[in-house]
Amino acid sequence: MAEEEDFSSLPLTDRWIHKVWKVRKAAYEEAAKQFEATGDEYDPAFRPFVQDSGLWKGAVADSNVAAQQEGLNALCAFLKFGGREGAVRSRQHTITSIVEKGLSSTRAATKASALEALLLYIETDVPGPVIEDVLPVLSNKQPKVVAASLAALTQIFHNYGCKTADPKPVLKVLPKAFGHADKNVRAEATNLAVEFYRWLREAMKPMFWGDLKPTQQTDLEAQFEKIKTEGNPKQERLLRSQQAAKERSPQGGGAGAAETYEDDDFEEPAEIDAFDLAEPQDVLGKLAGNFYDNLASSKWKERKEALEGLYAIVNVPRIKDADFGEVSRSLAKCMKDANIAVVTQAAQCIELLAKGMRKGFARYRSIVMQPIMERLKEKKQSVADALAAALDAVFTTTNLTECLEDITAALAHKNPQVKEGSMKFLIRCLRTTRDVPAKPEIATIVESAKKLLSEGSEVLRSGGAEILGTVMKIIGERGMGPHLEGLDEIRKTKIKEFFEVAEVKAKEKPKPPPAPVVRAPPAGAPRKVVKKGTGTKKPAPAPPPPSQYAQQPRAAPEVKPLGMPKPTGLGGLKAPQKRTLAAPSGISSPRRQAPSPTFDDDEPVSPPPKPTARMGLGRGGLAGRSLAKPSSSSQPVAPPSPTPVSSLGPMERAELEELRDANDRLLKQVEDARHDRSKLISEIQELKNQNAGLIEDHTRDVLSIKAKETQLVRARSDFEASEQTNDRLRRELDRLKRALNKAEAFGSGGGPGSPSSPSLGMMSPTHDDAGIYRDGAFPTSSNRNRMSFTSTLSEEKENGESAPYPRNKLTSPEVRYAGSTASSGRGSPARGFRRDMGGEDRESQNSDAPARSTGYPTYTDRSGSRTDSRAGSRLGDQQSSGGSGGAGMESWKRAAEVTSQLKARIEQMKAKQGISRP
């Protein structure tokens, strides 16, 4: 009996979370019935589940499959009949459980209810949050859950389309699904990719196509071929907001209106491209550091390699907006490159930049467009195609108004190739633009096209006719009629042929008829009374205004010459009307407005003559009589001509004043624009002059730099010549020093008693030299001998004396004192010293001359009698010390002075030649 216990007395929320699954199942069923029976979304039955949204988590993930099915049904009823608030609050608790437990259920009814719940969540709000909650489930460890999630995403995009549901988050994770180990997951990923292709076509491929295996790409291509034959897909389910808009759009809607709305707003066009799907990528950060240096290189291969690197970087679906001014200027400069390969590559880079940035590239249009159009003179077809593609890409970033000035300037270019390329570009712009050009722009285009009609080339003439035919397709035959006046029939026929075959996206829609004619009657209140009443009722309201008019027109003529433009408020009505007739304005005069349909309807009524009488009384004077005479002579009905003038009401006068003020403002604006234009033209001229001056300065600087470079080269050559001279002199000086050192060493190296020493020969004319050499005595004498030899050489050099045999001079200095012809006869300290020596020494010197003439004594001289040599040496010492002591000291002093002078002269020579002493 416990099993039959009745739990119906418990509150619905308590039964909702009961531990018995049957109780929960019954609660789910009861809630679904209550939701279906509610009158609106504000019914109290929804309140508990809106306030406590966590109740739905247990219902959709119930452990009992039967109860879970009923729980999903209750959720579907709650979403279908409830409001947006309940769906938004419960969504975060239920989506994950629905995907993991509901979509992967073994029961078909449970799976259908789970999918319907997801679609209802999207219908009540937006698809984005639902898709965001489904995507994490794709990382689930169970393949069946992943496959079910992909199938649900396929149904979401199939029902709501890629215009309502954003496909970018799903396209990012799609390659991971294609790489799954389970074949069912890969099959569902293929189905999802095919569904994307229905909506996006080729635009979806850049997002994930490169991450697929070749076999997968082949299989997908085979699936895509089946889809290409189908038409554009349509959104099958509408959001609540779209349903409300559909009901509001046509008044008295119906099936036809619904179909129109659906066709206009929910038919997905095939214009979605990779730019809308891709994420912006930073391009400038990837630019090589030496890009600008390579682009300015003198070698065309380096310039081309730099552009190829840029091409690889910017070849992405979408480029992050940044400062591309320097890049654009560099690419524009490449348009003047002499190598066509560089020009082609630069044009391709400009095309990719324009396609990747879209509207962001519009600010660089003026930098690149004119150089590209100047380069259209290239006759090679590949270069011309690349330039045309770059121009088309740049045009997509802006509009015809911005490009028209550059195009018209290129159409007047002297080069026919530039004219032809610009003409074709203008035709493409007219075909693709979605905005109808303004009338001044159309006049400019037509004028340029007419000039092309008289060109000598058939291509240019046909192009001019095609331009006119395309413009006619945009504005219509009637609008084009005034522009074709003056053309012969042959040209008109050709223009008509291009008009019939032209395809454009911008067409001028016919304007509705103006409504000011309907507004005219209600402007004056008395007119309405006259229309509704009979002829007898008109005189009654008429008398009061004429009395006022009759009192004030006399003052009005006095005011006329003072102020023409503005009439007074209620007073002088007739005087301002006369002013309005005389004042020039852009609108029709009041007299022309008088024969309006309102007065035509009132013709049979008699009051018109009465206001004429009032006008006559009010006006008085010759002016009134002169106007009244011709009218009265012809017919009594003629006087109504002044009546419409006086019948302008205050509202019409106010409108007239507003129009006058507007006209004055427009004239002032035009004058200001002209003034600004003249100022800008003067500034442009001034900038041109400055530019010319800068160019002249630049040329002058370049010439001066070249002159300085020439001077530098000459100075460099002079410096090298002087360096060579210095080296030669340095080597000569070193040689002289070595010779001097060698002579000194030679003079002192033999010892004080050596017979080979020149000084010894000068000091010891006897054979005592051998004895002196052997015992090494008399160091003072040897020093004096060295100084004497040095002084002899320096004195000879100073006086310019030179011997024909310098070696004999060094080895045997006695030759010049023995009466040699090589001697100049001038004395030296050594010669003085010799002259002071005794006669014995001279005799011994003369007797030994043959032996000393060679500079070296013979062996017999050295090996003489020791007794004789010792005696001779003693005798020589006594004589030298006794007889020539004072004279020898003076001679050595003179030798020291000459040596110091020689050294000073050597230093002076070095200083003159700029040689630093080592």
Side-chain angles (χ1 to χ4, degrees):
M1 298 297 293
E3 293 179 358
E4 298 179 358
E5 184 178 357
D6 187 13
F7 297 97
S8 60
S9 59
L10 294 175
L12 182 61
T13 55
D14 293 343
R15 286 181 285 153
W16 195 274
I17 58 176
H18 202 275
K19 61 181 179 178
V20 180
W21 68 270
K22 290 185 179 180
V23 179
R24 297 197 302 271
K25 180 175 177 294
Y28 301 154
E29 293 175 351
E30 182 179 351
K33 292 179 181 179
Q34 288 183 5
F35 296 151
E36 292 177 0
T38 55
D40 54 17
E41 60 184 28
Y42 304 104
D43 194 276
F46 298 107
R47 189 175 300 115
F49 300 96
V50 173
Q51 294 176 350
D52 189 6
S53 302
L55 294 173
W56 291 108
K57 183 176 182 180
V60 299
D62 201 298
S63 56
N64 186 273
V65 293
Q68 181 190 13
Q69 180 178 344
E70 296 300 331
L72 288 171
N73 292 335
L75 177 62
C76 291
F78 175 76
L79 297 174
K80 185 177 181 180
F81 299 103
R84 177 179 175 275
E85 182 181 2
V88 172
R89 288 193 176 187
S90 62
R91 183 171 56 200
Q92 56 184 347
H93 302 289
T94 59
I95 297 295
T96 305
S97 300
I98 290 173
V99 177
E100 293 180 350
K101 298 292 183 66
L103 293 176
S104 60
S105 177
T106 55
R107 291 193 170 193
T110 304
K111 294 169 66 174
S113 299
L115 180 60
E116 181 66 20
L118 291 179
L119 297 178
L120 286 171
Y121 268 120
I122 294 175
E123 180 181 330
T124 53
D125 190 23
V126 288
V130 177
I131 295 176
E132 290 178 2
D133 291 338
V134 173
L135 288 179
V137 186
L138 296 178
S139 302
N140 197 290
K141 296 181 179 180
Q142 297 182 7
K144 66 175 184 178
V145 177
V146 179
S149 303
L150 291 173
L153 290 173
T154 303
Q155 290 299 319
I156 289 173
F157 286 102
H158 180 79
N159 285 276
Y160 293 102
C162 291
K163 185 176 182 180
T164 304
D166 187 11
K168 287 190 288 186
V170 184
L171 285 171
K172 291 180 181 179
V173 300
L174 196 56
K176 184 179 178 181
F178 274 101
H180 202 278
D182 189 75
K183 64 178 182 179
N184 295 326
V185 175
R186 296 196 299 271
E188 292 297 337
T190 303
N191 295 335
L192 181 57
V194 171
E195 183 62 34
F196 279 140
Y197 191 81
R198 291 180 63 242
W199 296 91
L200 306 177
R201 300 297 181 183
E202 297 296 328
M204 59 172 278
K205 289 186 177 180
M207 298 293 293
F208 71 99
W209 195 255
D211 299 330
L212 303 182
K213 298 178 181 179
T215 54
Q216 293 174 338
Q217 294 179 359
T218 305
D219 295 340
L220 286 176
E221 287 291 353
Q223 296 289 334
F224 294 163
E225 289 296 331
K226 302 176 183 178
I227 304 297
K228 290 180 180 179
T229 58
E230 300 179 2
N232 293 333
K234 296 182 181 180
Q235 183 175 338
E236 297 184 0
R237 296 184 64 155
L238 304 180
L239 304 179
R240 295 278 176 88
S241 58
Q242 293 174 343
Q243 293 174 9
K246 178 181 176 180
E247 294 175 358
R248 290 194 307 266
S249 59
Q251 296 180 357
E259 290 176 0
T260 303
Y261 181 80
E262 183 175 354
D263 292 341
D264 293 342
D265 294 341
F266 300 101
E267 181 178 353
E268 188 71 19
E271 296 180 359
I272 298 179
D273 54 9
F275 183 84
D276 300 324
L277 303 176
E279 292 293 333
Q281 298 185 21
D282 186 12
V283 169
L284 288 181
K286 302 177 183 179
L287 204 63
N290 59 347
F291 169 74
Y292 297 105
D293 296 336
N294 292 339
L295 204 60
S297 175
S298 59
K299 299 180 180 179
W300 71 269
K301 288 187 177 180
E302 293 183 0
R303 299 196 299 270
K304 187 172 183 293
E305 289 175 359
L307 292 173
E308 287 174 351
L310 177 63
Y311 182 86
I313 294 173
V314 300
N315 191 12
V316 292
R318 192 169 186 175
I319 298 174
K320 186 178 181 181
D321 195 6
D323 186 10
F324 285 87
E326 189 172 359
V327 177
S328 301
R329 286 188 289 270
S330 301
L331 293 175
K333 188 177 180 181
C334 290
M335 291 295 107
K336 300 179 181 179
D337 202 289
N339 191 280
I340 59 175
V342 176
V343 176
T344 304
Q345 195 68 43
Q348 293 174 355
C349 292
I350 293 174
E351 178 185 0
L352 291 180
L353 277 174
K355 288 182 178 179
M357 295 180 66
R358 295 287 174 91
K359 299 298 181 184
F361 193 76
R363 58 180 178 269
Y364 310 117
R365 178 205 61 80
S366 58
I367 299 176
V368 299
M369 178 169 282
Q370 188 174 1
I372 294 176
M373 300 184 78
E374 286 287 340
R375 192 67 186 197
L376 288 173
K377 62 185 178 182
E378 201 66 44
K379 294 182 180 181
K380 193 170 183 180
Q381 190 60 36
S382 59
V383 183
D385 293 343
L387 295 173
L391 286 174
D392 293 343
V394 172
F395 177 72
T396 58
T397 65
T398 180
N399 51 36
L400 183 60
T401 304
E402 298 292 333
C403 304
L404 189 58
E405 184 177 356
D406 292 334
I407 295 174
T408 52
L411 287 175
H413 200 274
K414 60 182 179 180
N415 192 312
Q417 293 293 127
V418 177
K419 283 185 180 181
E420 182 179 349
S422 305
M423 172 199 69
K424 293 178 180 178
F425 176 52
L426 177 58
I427 294 172
R428 294 195 299 272
C429 293
L430 292 173
R431 289 176 179 175
T432 56
T433 183
R434 294 185 177 275
D435 301 326
V436 178
K439 290 184 178 180
E441 296 171 357
I442 291 175
T444 304
I445 296 171
V446 170
E447 188 67 23
S448 300
K450 285 182 178 180
K451 293 180 180 179
L452 294 176
L453 292 177
S454 58
E455 289 287 340
S457 174
E458 173 61 26
V459 178
L460 295 178
R461 293 197 300 271
S462 300
E466 188 172 359
I467 292 174
L468 294 174
T470 308
V471 173
M472 183 186 292
K473 194 74 172 182
I474 294 175
I475 64 176
E477 295 184 55
R478 183 177 179 182
M480 195 65 182
H483 297 290
L484 298 181
E485 294 179 359
L487 297 179
D488 53 14
E489 293 299 327
I490 298 176
R491 291 175 177 173
K492 287 183 179 179
T493 304
K494 197 168 186 178
I495 294 171
K496 193 67 178 293
E497 292 176 358
F498 284 111
F499 161 72
E500 293 173 355
V501 298
E503 295 180 2
V504 296
K505 295 182 179 179
K507 291 185 179 181
E508 190 171 8
K509 298 179 180 179
K511 297 181 181 180
V517 177
V518 181
R519 294 178 182 176
R527 288 184 181 179
K528 293 183 179 179
V529 178
V530 170
K531 290 178 183 179
K532 295 180 180 179
T534 59
T536 56
K537 292 181 181 180
K538 283 186 178 180
S547 61
Q548 297 175 358
Y549 298 163
Q551 294 174 0
Q552 295 180 358
R554 293 180 181 177
E558 298 176 359
V559 183
K560 281 181 184 180
L562 297 176
M564 295 254 335
K566 293 185 179 180
T568 55
L570 296 174
L573 294 177
K574 295 180 180 179
Q577 288 167 2
K578 292 181 181 179
R579 294 171 194 167
T580 55
L581 291 173
S585 61
I587 60 171
S588 59
S589 62
R591 289 190 179 183
R592 294 181 181 177
Q593 291 181 354
S596 61
T598 56
F599 291 100
D600 294 340
D601 297 339
D602 298 336
E603 286 179 0
V605 188
S606 59
K610 293 183 179 179
T612 57
R614 293 166 191 164
M615 291 298 295
L617 293 174
R619 286 186 179 182
L622 296 175
R625 293 178 183 176
S626 62
L627 291 174
K629 282 180 180 180
S631 62
S632 60
S633 62
S634 59
Q635 287 180 358
V637 186
S641 58
T643 58
V645 177
S646 63
S647 62
L648 286 175
M651 295 179 64
E652 291 180 347
R653 290 195 301 273
E655 290 180 1
L656 185 60
E657 290 301 322
E658 291 178 0
L659 291 174
R660 285 179 177 175
D661 295 339
N663 188 23
D664 295 339
R665 286 194 300 271
L666 290 175
L667 292 175
K668 186 177 181 182
Q669 291 176 3
V670 170
E671 187 64 26
D672 294 342
R674 289 177 180 173
H675 180 67
D676 295 341
R677 183 174 179 274
S678 61
K679 186 186 298 183
L680 291 175
I681 290 174
S682 62
E683 291 179 358
I684 290 171
Q685 189 62 32
E686 184 177 356
L687 290 175
K688 286 182 178 179
N689 296 335
Q690 292 179 2
N691 188 21
L694 292 175
I695 291 173
E696 292 179 359
D697 295 341
H698 176 69
T699 306
R700 193 180 304 109
D701 293 341
V702 170
L703 294 176
S704 64
I705 289 171
K706 290 183 178 180
K708 296 294 183 183
E709 289 178 353
T710 306
Q711 295 176 3
L712 181 61
V713 171
R714 292 177 179 174
R716 209 171 271 165
S717 62
D718 295 342
F719 174 74
E720 291 176 357
S722 62
E723 283 289 332
Q724 293 176 0
T725 305
N726 292 337
D727 292 341
R728 183 172 56 78
L729 294 175
R730 192 179 291 110
R731 287 194 300 270
E732 182 68 19
L733 183 62
D734 292 341
R735 188 182 63 78
L736 293 174
K737 284 184 178 180
R738 285 195 301 270
L740 182 61
N741 294 333
K742 187 175 179 181
E744 291 180 357
F746 179 77
S748 62
S754 176
S756 63
S757 174
S759 61
L760 187 59
M762 288 184 283
M763 292 200 49
S764 302
T766 63
H767 290 282
D768 294 340
D769 295 340
I772 295 171
Y773 176 77
R774 282 193 299 271
D775 57 9
F778 304 103
T780 307
S781 176
S782 66
N783 293 336
R784 283 201 297 266
N785 294 340
R786 188 184 311 114
M787 292 175 63
S788 173
F789 178 74
T790 308
S791 64
T792 303
L793 292 178
S794 61
E795 185 178 357
E796 290 175 356
K797 185 175 181 180
E798 179 181 357
N799 297 329
E801 296 177 356
S802 61
Y805 303 99
R807 180 174 182 84
N808 296 332
K809 180 179 173 181
L810 293 174
T811 56
S812 56
E814 291 82 7
V815 174
R816 55 185 301 193
Y817 305 110
S820 174
T821 58
S823 174
S824 62
R826 302 178 67 178
S828 66
R831 292 184 63 181
F833 178 71
R834 289 189 183 91
R835 281 194 298 268
D836 295 337
M837 294 175 64
E840 295 180 7
D841 293 338
R842 290 190 182 94
E843 292 176 359
S844 63
Q845 183 178 4
N846 295 331
S847 63
D848 295 338
R852 288 191 296 269
S853 62
T854 58
Y856 295 96
T858 60
Y859 180 75
T860 57
D861 295 334
R862 293 182 182 179
S863 61
S865 175
R866 294 190 176 186
T867 305
D868 296 338
S869 63
R870 288 176 182 174
S873 66
R874 290 191 189 100
L875 180 61
D877 292 339
Q878 291 175 1
Q879 291 176 353
S880 64
S881 61
S884 61
M889 291 299 293
E890 293 178 358
S891 300
W892 294 123
K893 287 181 180 180
R894 264 184 294 160
E897 291 176 359
V898 172
T899 303
S900 62
Q901 291 177 3
L902 177 62
K903 288 182 180 180
R905 293 201 177 193
I906 290 172
E907 292 298 330
Q908 289 177 2
M909 292 173 63
K910 289 182 182 179
K912 288 181 180 180
Q913 296 177 359
I915 301 175
S916 60
R917 185 172 183 179

